[in-house]
Each structure stands twice: as structure tokens, then as C-alpha cells.
Amino acid sequence: MRELTTKNWRVTRLAVIWPGIVALLALVSLSVPGCTPTEPLRIGFLGGLSGRVADLGIGGRNGAILAVEMRNQRGGINGRQVELIVDDDQQDAEVARQAVARLLARKVELIIGPMTSAMALAVLPQVNAAGVPLISPTVTTNALTGLDDQFFRVVSPTAAHVPKSAEYHFRQHGLRRVVLVYDLRNRAYGESWAGDFRSAFEARGGLIVAAIGFDSSTTFSTLASGVLTHRPDGVVVIANSMDTALLIQQLRMRDATVRIATSEWAATERLVELGGRAVEGVVVAQYVDRESSESAYLQFHRAYRERFAQEPGFPGLTAFDATNVALDALASKSAGQTLKEAILAHGKFAGAQTPIVFDANGDTQRDTYLWVIRNGEFKSLH
């Protein structure tokens, strides 16, 4: 009986003492360097992941994911892992603003995106007020050129690259009378691109016989008929890949010979998939040199294909570059320095195909390339 009492006393004593031991060990572990779980560095991604622009947004998201995963495999940034928080702007200004509010509430260091000019203009006041950089893979509107704000981009504004398309279509493509067709839902991009093309094309002696905007209320059959009433020898479509493919099909049903070209926005694999035979012979502007032999690009291309089982195209490439700019800037940021200051102070960033150097207002220069669709594939014209 005494032995049982003693045993019970020991058990009771241990039950009283043990919580104190656990608390003491926890306190000691917190004081030992390396034992405290480190908060990840959070960065956001904003793009249209649904609807008609989904190929652009999904490609961009995948490029950002790949860059973050590769960085985390190398140990992250200064010992901290990077967490990518993704949100869908649905190509809608109010939805985009709500998405940015959610990302800012998660305390992201910066946001990669958005993927269209209209969404960039919609959310820029928010990120400026928060002092959080916005690094876009694909926004090119001239409306954001030369501003002292939180906006950065890894592609050139339209004024810097659209004249190359105008030159080609006048000199090599032989166009003289052109109709421009652009999406009013991304007006900031469409009007910027169309305006620069008009200036360059007419300076060479060509004529823009009409510039026609369309939105969701427009049927492509009606649009195609209206375009062809101007009797152009060429049509340049400034729209997403889906709408471009559908419009070209309608144009080809009515005119098998009119020459057709696109802006960079349409230049994804979905253009070929949806357009089928109708897009054969279409000249397509691109932000990516698909024939690049740069070792960094080949490594990126292989990794992207293995990770996502699809071509990265220009959205995957430019988002990969934009995310690596962000990660490199975070790694080089010194105490007391804002992230914007760190980006500008960093100097030259390594892109997968070409270096990225920002001017004082966050703009950069990036070449574009011209391709033609033949036998369901993009073939180089450069």
C-alpha cells in the first residue's frame, strides 16, 4: 500500500513539474539562433487568370512560380524562403483593386504584374500610396512612361518598339492601306500601340484608313464586315489571342487574300490553337526570341516545359524575368533602403535572354521580334 502511495506521489509530482520543464525548454529554444521559425518573404502576383486573357495571366503566373521555386531551391533570400501569393484581376478594374488590397493586407514586399496596361493604370494609385513596387512583365502603355512612381516594367513602352512593326509592314510586307482593330477593354494598351503604329506607318508613306475599337458587345462577324468595307490591303489586330483568332477566322471567311498581322499581345500558343488554318501566314510581333541560343534562356525553357508541360511563350519569359528582378533586389536591399531604391541602385539585372536595366523612372528597353505562322508554328522573320 505504501509502495502504491509513493508511486502515485511521484506521478503527481512529475505532472506538476513537467509543464514547467516544457515551458523552460520552449523559452531556451527561442533564445537559440536558428531555432526560431523564420517568416517567409512574401511577394504577390496579379494577373488575369480567368476569361479571355487567361493565357497571358496563367503564363505569367507560371513564370513567377518557376522563378520563386528555383530561388527557394537555392536557399531563398538571406536564409528566408519566398512565398508567392497569387490573385486574379479578371481583367476588371474593380476586381483588380480588391485583389491588390488583399495582397497588401498580406504584407507583400512587392507585386509582380499586372499583365495588361488597363489593370496597371487601375491599381497604380494603391501601390503608390502603399510604397510597394509593382513590377509588370508585359505592360507597355506610353501613359506610364517617365513617371516617378512605384511602377517598373521589363518590356519597352510601345513608342520604343511599335515602329519596328510599322517599318516591316511597309517595307517588307508591302502594306499601304491598313485598318487597325483594337480592344477597348484594354484601351490604354490598344490606343498606345495603334497611335505609335499610325505615326510610324504614315511617316513612311502608308495610310491608316480606319482605327476601329471593339468591346464585348461587338460580334466578330459584324466587326470583320466593317473592317473590310474600307478595302484595306492589310489589317493589324491589337487584342488578346482569343479575340484575335476569332476575328481572323471571320476575316478569312470574307477575304482570303487580305494580309493580317497582330501586336505582341496575341502572340501566345493559343492564337495558333484557336485560329487553326485561318491564322496561317499571319505576321505576329513577339517579346521573345523563340530561337534564342542563350544558355540562360535554354535552361529556363527546359525548366518551364518540365514544370508546366507547355511552352512559356512571352508571358512566361517576361514574368520569370520580372520575378528574378524582384528577388535580386530583395537580396541586395540594405538596411534603411526602400525596395524601389534597391531596384534602381542594383544596376543591371540578368534576364533570361537580355539584361534588364531600368532608368530612373522604372522603364527599360527590350527588343521585339517578328514571326509568321506557318504550318501551325511560329517561324522567324528576323
Side-chain angles (χ1 to χ4, degrees):
M1 184 72 174
R2 177 179 177 78
E3 181 181 349
L4 181 60
T5 303
T6 302
K7 183 177 180 181
N8 288 344
W9 176 81
R10 288 172 179 166
V11 171
T12 302
R13 186 166 180 263
L14 183 60
V16 172
I17 294 173
W18 181 248
I21 294 173
V22 171
L24 180 61
L25 289 173
L27 182 63
V28 170
S29 69
L30 288 174
S31 65
V32 176
C35 293
T36 305
T38 305
E39 276 285 305
L41 279 169
R42 295 185 177 92
I43 66 174
F45 174 84
L46 180 67
L49 304 175
S50 54
R52 307 182 88 81
V53 300
D55 58 333
L56 190 69
I58 290 171
R61 178 203 63 190
N62 291 350
I65 288 173
L66 182 62
V68 168
E69 288 179 348
M70 292 174 74
R71 190 63 59 106
N72 283 337
Q73 288 168 5
R74 300 198 301 269
I77 295 176
N78 301 325
R80 297 172 67 182
Q81 291 287 284
V82 181
E83 179 184 356
L84 182 69
I85 304 172
V86 175
D87 216 321
D88 182 5
D89 64 31
Q90 299 178 33
Q91 190 60 20
D92 180 282
E94 184 53 37
V95 173
R97 286 188 282 266
Q98 293 171 5
V100 167
R102 288 191 294 269
L103 292 172
L104 294 176
R106 296 289 301 276
K107 306 297 183 184
V108 296
E109 302 284 337
L110 55 89
I111 298 172
I112 305 300
M115 302 295 285
T116 65
S117 296
M119 296 304 98
L121 288 173
V123 304
L124 188 57
Q126 283 174 282
V127 296
N128 282 342
V132 172
L134 191 69
I135 307 179
S136 176
T138 49
V139 166
T140 59
T141 177
N142 293 328
L144 292 172
T145 301
L147 302 179
D148 183 11
D149 54 16
Q150 293 291 330
F151 177 73
F152 293 82
R153 53 182 158 197
V154 298
V155 289
S156 303
T158 59
H161 63 76
V162 171
K164 181 176 182 177
S165 289
E167 173 72 21
Y168 176 85
H169 291 306
F170 185 83
R171 302 291 185 196
Q172 278 75 43
H173 213 191
L175 302 186
R176 293 297 181 269
R177 292 172 49 82
V178 167
V179 172
L180 301 175
V181 187
Y182 62 96
D183 188 350
L184 292 171
R185 291 161 295 187
N186 191 12
R187 185 188 293 267
Y189 169 77
E191 291 186 346
S192 185
W193 206 100
D196 290 327
F197 187 94
R198 178 192 289 273
S199 297
F201 189 70
E202 292 188 340
R204 288 160 176 76
L207 178 65
I208 302 301
V209 295
I212 304 172
F214 71 94
D215 57 23
S216 58
S217 67
T218 310
T219 64
F220 290 112
S221 58
T222 300
L223 181 58
S225 296
V227 166
L228 294 175
T229 61
H230 296 281
R231 300 187 179 278
D233 57 13
V235 179
V236 179
V237 185
I238 308 162
N240 63 70
S241 60
M242 176 182 287
D243 289 342
T244 299
L246 295 176
L247 175 57
I248 290 173
Q249 288 174 339
Q250 292 295 323
L251 289 168
R252 285 288 180 240
M253 289 172 60
R254 292 159 174 79
D255 188 329
T257 62
V258 66
R259 295 179 180 179
I260 303 174
T262 78
S263 70
E264 292 80 3
W265 188 11
T268 69
E269 273 56 34
R270 190 164 66 163
L271 174 65
V272 177
E273 293 166 4
L274 296 179
R277 294 182 59 85
V279 298
E280 286 289 310
V282 171
V283 175
V284 184
Q286 300 255 330
Y287 293 119
V288 55
D289 180 1
R290 293 169 178 265
E291 296 178 348
S292 173
S293 60
E294 292 288 333
S295 59
Y297 173 71
L298 296 177
Q299 181 182 13
F300 153 76
H301 186 268
R302 182 169 56 252
Y304 190 102
R305 287 292 304 267
E306 290 174 356
R307 177 67 171 82
F308 302 108
Q310 62 187 38
E311 284 292 319
F314 78 87
L317 172 67
T318 55
F320 181 78
D321 280 352
T323 307
N324 278 317
V325 165
L327 299 175
D328 288 346
L330 283 166
S332 66
K333 181 176 174 291
S334 60
Q337 192 178 43
T338 67
L339 190 50
K340 176 182 177 179
E341 291 169 343
I343 295 171
L344 294 175
H346 190 280
K348 183 184 293 186
F349 292 87
Q353 288 193 348
T354 57
I356 299 164
V357 180
F358 298 107
D359 65 19
N361 294 309
D363 292 316
T364 190
Q365 296 296 313
R366 190 188 196 104
D367 201 2
T368 60
Y369 305 88
L370 293 171
W371 302 71
V372 63
I373 299 173
R374 291 190 183 129
N375 300 318
E377 295 182 352
F378 291 104
K379 300 295 184 180
S380 175
L381 291 172
H382 64 275

